[in-house]
Amino acid sequence: MTGLRERKKQRTRDSLIRAAHELFVEQGYEATTVDEIVAAVDVSQRTFFRYFASKEEVAFALQTLVSERYLEAVRRRPPGGSPVQVLRSTLDETWESIGEAIEEIVPLPLHMQMWQIIETTPSLVAVHLRHSMEMEERLAAEIARREGVDLEGDPRPRVLVAAFSGVMRAASRCWGSGGDTTVRAARQKVETYVDQLGPALGQDWGTPGAHTSGAGAHSQLPSASTPRTPPETAPSN
Amino acid sequence: MTGLRERKKQRTRDSLIRAAHELFVEQGYEATTVDEIVAAVDVSQRTFFRYFASKEEVAFALQTLVSERYLEAVRRRPPGGSPVQVLRSTLDETWESIGEAIEEIVPLPLHMQMWQIIETTPSLVAVHLRHSMEMEERLAAEIARREGVDLEGDPRPRVLVAAFSGVMRAASRCWGSGGDTTVRAARQKVETYVDQLGPALGQDWGTPGAHTSGAGAHSQLPSASTPRTPPETAPSN
DNA sequence: GAGGTTAGTGACAGTCGCTGACAATTGACA
DNA sequence: TGTCAATTGTCAGCGACTGTCACTAACCTC
């Protein structure tokens, strides 16, 4: 069904992604020039920039794929469950199938290494965060839709998604700086963090150093039903 | 106490910041070249890059000042109150004095316009988010210190700060896209949003469209003590 | 299957952000 | 006033990115 032209395009695109990933992982993002990438695939520099708007974009080709799939999965999810639960279960649900989609372009370990490169390259960190934010906006819109609330009048969709995404990022950052870079470890870390969201917002953490003085200043958040969750000594990196 | 040399440096730096801000606001960030900025101040391009590592950096000179002051204020805050309260009250406490510090370099309205430029320029959004993240890390460390918990073993400091910052960003984005660009409006928006953090994490938002089915999938967050907060029709932009 | 159409590519020139190296200038201090 | 050190200007160059135009190759039609 796809013409020769179409397939050829797909092939060059994938080749560029793969070559770029290998070079980035091997010698770093900044140290790799676009000329080197195109030399590896044997196309002109101009062609590269027809496929990717910037050198950054090729670095995020797979991350984009992941986000897109996750959002799709949230959209497809049948109604029911609290918003937080929806976000979280969809995570569980999609983890594997997304991995398979990536494997069709680059080996998973390479993708994981690229993830680390992103997390340790300031300019890429910046772009990554912007992508996350754009995703947040779309997620918030979806949550608002499925809960039947007004995205503009009611802050809760954006607030929830902002908090959730923030926690997710914190988790993956923590994972990235750790030793175990397997998919399994990443998954575990994210789950641990998300589950701490409730306890962390509690009034008092009930640990040495916390001065449980009386009423504080301004608005107090509603205290969680499990007010003092001991650290549980979450597996550090 | 400051020598002539020192004062001269400070003056060029401030001039560069001011000229850059004016040009950015006038014709956009991307459309403004570094050559134009240095022409306005009449220094060489090389000098510009000795003061600022990049064109982006001059755009964030004031944001950096703000962050630095806020963090300082948190550090100085006496013990007591829950972590969330500390973050929030410090906000109230510092708002004004920071405004005054900015006025010494550029007029406040110009700074506000620059803020809008940042929020609407993709590459600047990216950098801004990275700065926020770096600030998160420092804030988390500070919270961990004052609560006497271990930043590595206990996820709560990072989780709390991540959630808090995420909400702050959502608020200021919302403010930036609205009509009222005064400092007062910004402050109000941030406060509204922060106060919604608790309710948004509740089990069920209790509004049409929310299907209050039984037990959902995985971990359930502790339900907030005010489980269903009606939207309150927060003032939209 | 020849011939026209269109999409995709390569080559080239040019802009802009940014850096290294070295020379010129200027404030600091004896 | 002369010496030293900090700041600045000049110039040459790299790398990311873009516009333009000619060229090739897949597609479509007759």
Side-chain angles (χ1 to χ4, degrees):
Chain A
M1 84 145 283
T2 57
L4 175 63
R5 212 175 239 170
E6 205 67 22
R7 269 175 291 142
K8 225 172 175 178
K9 262 203 322 189
Q10 194 59 48
R11 227 180 307 141
T12 21
R13 190 185 143 86
D14 289 357
S15 301
L16 283 171
I17 294 178
R18 180 158 188 161
H21 274 59
E22 280 164 355
L23 285 165
F24 290 159
V25 165
E26 192 180 319
Q27 54 189 15
Y29 174 77
E30 311 280 9
T32 304
T33 68
V34 174
D35 281 339
E36 288 176 298
I37 300 172
V38 299
V41 184
D42 201 49
V43 294
S44 74
Q45 201 202 52
R46 197 67 186 83
T47 294
F48 175 92
F49 284 109
R50 284 198 186 93
Y51 280 93
F52 306 98
S54 64
K55 184 179 153 190
E56 276 151 5
E57 197 173 301
V58 71
F60 284 98
L62 299 181
Q63 309 284 340
T64 304
L65 186 150
V66 172
S67 306
E68 230 51 61
R69 297 249 176 165
Y70 176 75
L71 184 61
E72 258 315 298
V74 172
R75 285 222 175 88
R76 252 199 291 280
R77 205 173 170 80
S82 79
V84 217
Q85 284 169 347
V86 169
L87 295 181
R88 198 206 141 135
S89 331
T90 305
L91 225 49
D92 264 2
E93 187 189 296
T94 53
W95 215 288
E96 282 174 44
S97 78
I98 290 179
E100 291 165 14
I102 289 173
E103 274 278 5
E104 287 179 18
I105 304 174
V106 306
L108 253 181
L110 183 59
H111 173 239
M112 289 304 189
Q113 284 178 289
M114 187 62 216
W115 173 250
Q116 307 235 31
I117 295 278
I118 289 175
E119 294 248 34
T120 54
T121 307
S123 62
L124 292 185
V125 169
V127 175
H128 172 236
L129 290 169
R130 179 163 56 87
H131 287 171
S132 302
M133 209 191 69
E134 286 160 7
M135 180 55 52
E136 275 183 43
E137 182 60 23
R138 295 207 274 163
L139 255 184
E142 173 59 19
I143 293 293
R145 194 191 59 75
R146 77 172 353 243
E147 298 295 323
V149 304
D150 175 26
L151 184 57
E152 299 314 320
D154 189 340
R156 291 176 300 170
R158 286 206 178 89
V159 170
L160 166 66
V161 172
F164 189 83
S165 309
V167 171
M168 289 267 301
R169 272 198 306 278
S172 51
R173 204 165 66 239
C174 175
W175 163 81
S177 65
D180 190 352
T181 63
T182 59
V183 181
R184 218 188 111 54
R187 194 166 173 172
Q188 161 118 38
K189 186 63 85 178
V190 165
E191 285 169 7
T192 307
Y193 266 53
V194 170
D195 290 345
Q196 287 292 325
L197 188 49
L201 287 164
Q203 274 291 33
D204 182 343
W205 291 355
T207 28
H211 299 253
T212 318
S213 69
H218 306 83
S219 83
Q220 54 284 57
L221 284 168
S223 67
S225 63
T226 21
R228 48 195 70 207
T229 307
E232 258 188 42
T233 330
S236 78
N237 313 337
Chain B
M1 85 145 278
T2 57
L4 174 62
R5 209 174 238 168
E6 206 66 23
R7 271 176 289 140
K8 221 171 178 180
K9 261 201 324 185
Q10 193 59 49
R11 227 180 309 138
T12 6
R13 191 187 143 86
D14 289 357
S15 300
L16 283 171
I17 294 177
R18 180 159 187 159
H21 274 58
E22 279 164 356
L23 285 166
F24 290 160
V25 165
E26 193 181 318
Q27 53 190 15
Y29 173 78
E30 311 279 11
T32 304
T33 67
V34 174
D35 281 338
E36 288 175 296
I37 300 172
V38 299
V41 184
D42 201 49
V43 294
S44 73
Q45 201 201 51
R46 198 66 186 82
T47 295
F48 176 92
F49 283 110
R50 279 197 260 261
Y51 280 92
F52 306 99
S54 64
K55 184 180 154 190
E56 277 149 5
E57 196 173 302
V58 71
F60 284 98
L62 299 181
Q63 309 286 339
T64 304
L65 187 151
V66 172
S67 306
E68 231 49 63
R69 298 247 176 165
Y70 176 75
L71 185 59
E72 258 318 296
V74 171
R75 284 223 175 89
R76 254 198 291 279
R77 205 175 172 78
S82 78
V84 217
Q85 284 169 348
V86 169
L87 295 181
R88 203 213 135 130
S89 330
T90 306
L91 225 48
D92 264 2
E93 187 189 296
T94 54
W95 215 289
E96 281 174 43
S97 77
I98 290 180
E100 291 165 15
I102 290 174
E103 274 278 3
E104 286 180 19
I105 304 174
V106 304
L108 254 180
L110 184 59
H111 173 238
M112 289 304 189
Q113 284 178 291
M114 187 61 216
W115 172 249
Q116 306 234 32
I117 295 278
I118 290 176
E119 293 247 36
T120 55
T121 307
S123 62
L124 292 185
V125 168
V127 175
H128 172 236
L129 291 170
R130 179 163 55 88
H131 288 171
S132 303
M133 207 190 71
E134 286 160 6
M135 181 53 54
E136 274 182 44
E137 183 61 22
R138 295 206 276 162
L139 256 184
E142 174 57 20
I143 292 294
R145 193 191 61 75
R146 75 170 359 240
E147 297 295 322
V149 304
D150 175 26
L151 183 57
E152 299 313 322
D154 189 340
R156 291 176 301 170
R158 286 208 177 88
V159 169
L160 166 66
V161 172
F164 189 83
S165 311
V167 172
M168 290 266 303
R169 271 198 307 279
S172 52
R173 204 164 67 238
C174 175
W175 163 82
S177 66
D180 190 352
T181 62
T182 60
V183 181
R184 220 189 109 53
R187 193 166 173 171
Q188 161 116 38
K189 186 62 87 179
V190 165
E191 286 170 6
T192 308
Y193 265 53
V194 169
D195 291 344
Q196 287 292 327
L197 188 49
L201 287 165
Q203 275 290 29
D204 182 342
W205 290 354
T207 29
H211 299 254
T212 320
S213 69
H218 308 81
S219 83
Q220 55 282 59
L221 286 167
S223 65
S225 63
T226 22
R228 46 195 71 206
T229 308
E232 250 185 53
T233 330
S236 78
N237 313 338

